[in-house]
Amino acid sequence: MIQPWTLLSSEMAFDHRWYKLRRDTVKLPDGRVVDDYFVSERPGVAIAVPLTTENNVILVRQYKHGVQAITLEFPAGTFRSESPATAAARELEEETGYSPNSMIDLGTCFDDSSKNSNLVHIFLASGCVLTGRQRLDELEAASGIEVVLMSLQEVTQALEDGEIKSMSSVAAGYKALRAIGA
């Protein structure tokens, strides 16, 4: 039978505006104590799989330093106080200049349930139209974000071929394709 661990104590090991790391002391079901189980305290993530009125999918190509690679992903970002749907629409507009007509909640998934504390909220953003221009934050603006339009078939191929590698984008892509029956 699966049993949860018992949290004995918790302290912030590293607290910076970009990264928070918590050190937990836990008691395992067999009685052993682990005094250095580290967890990244991360804000929620909202991701949009945007469809234009012409049924093209909007993606972003950008540099991600954690993997030191240029990635192809769906627009996404973190949030703390706004609703997940509002955050997904905001990230879409900031990164691409497109605004959605509607946001359909496709559910949540864990980012990395062993070492991260956050949830990823996935939305299908439909009826997207170009309403403005990108509003990138300072780090995004430093290297730029390329807006990429793809057909549903091209997105399916990019998921299958591994061109889209970010786990949250892979999950969001497959959930969205299933939701629209593609």
Side-chain angles (χ1 to χ4, degrees), residues 43-54:
V45 173
I47 185 168
V49 179
L51 285 174
T52 67
T53 54
E54 296 82 25

Side-chain angles (χ1 to χ4, degrees), residues 51-66:
L51 285 174
T52 67
T53 54
E54 296 82 25
N55 241 11
N56 287 314
V57 182
I58 306 162
L59 296 102
V60 291
R61 194 178 316 275
Q62 60 188 319
Y63 177 76
K64 294 288 184 151
H65 188 69

Side-chain angles (χ1 to χ4, degrees), residues 103-122:
M103 300 291 285
I104 300 166
D105 188 339
L106 298 180
T108 61
C109 61
F110 291 115
D111 188 18
D112 172 2
S113 57
S114 291
K115 294 293 182 180
N116 290 338
S117 64
N118 63 328
L119 271 177
V120 177
H121 301 263
I122 302 168

Side-chain angles (χ1 to χ4, degrees), residues 2-182:
I2 299 172
Q3 297 175 348
W5 299 356
T6 302
L7 180 64
L8 300 176
S9 66
S10 187
E11 65 183 18
M12 196 57 66
F14 184 76
D15 190 351
H16 186 273
R17 72 179 180 139
W18 294 109
Y19 193 77
K20 295 181 185 312
L21 186 66
R22 189 181 77 222
R23 180 180 181 165
D24 290 348
T25 299
V26 295
K27 183 177 179 183
L28 304 180
D30 66 5
R32 286 182 291 150
V33 173
V34 176
D35 69 354
D36 62 351
Y37 196 89
F38 289 93
V39 176
S40 295
E41 292 227 341
R42 309 213 32 226
V45 173
I47 185 168
V49 179
L51 285 174
T52 67
T53 54
E54 296 82 25
N55 241 11
N56 287 314
V57 182
I58 306 162
L59 296 102
V60 291
R61 194 178 316 275
Q62 60 188 319
Y63 177 76
K64 294 288 184 151
H65 188 69
V67 293
Q68 297 182 7
I70 296 171
T71 64
L72 181 65
E73 302 177 355
F74 297 107
T78 61
F79 68 96
R80 293 194 189 276
S81 58
E82 63 196 322
S83 76
T86 300
R90 175 185 49 75
E91 287 291 336
L92 169 61
E93 292 171 19
E94 288 175 358
E95 293 182 3
T96 70
Y98 282 83
S99 297
N101 182 45
S102 69
M103 300 291 285
I104 300 166
D105 188 339
L106 298 180
T108 61
C109 61
F110 291 115
D111 188 18
D112 172 2
S113 57
S114 291
K115 294 293 182 180
N116 290 338
S117 64
N118 63 328
L119 271 177
V120 177
H121 301 263
I122 302 168
F123 294 89
L124 177 62
S126 62
C128 294
V129 293
L130 188 60
T131 57
R133 59 182 187 81
Q134 291 174 310
R135 295 184 318 276
L136 305 177
D137 68 29
E138 65 179 315
L139 294 178
E140 293 168 334
S143 56
I145 293 180
E146 175 189 0
V147 177
V148 178
L149 297 179
M150 297 177 115
S151 69
L152 290 169
Q153 183 178 6
E154 289 171 322
V155 168
T156 301
Q157 195 64 52
L159 287 163
E160 294 293 321
D161 292 346
E163 185 180 2
I164 299 172
K165 287 185 189 334
S166 169
M167 189 60 79
S168 57
S169 281
V170 170
Y174 281 119
K175 279 182 161 279
L177 289 171
R178 183 170 183 194
I180 61 176

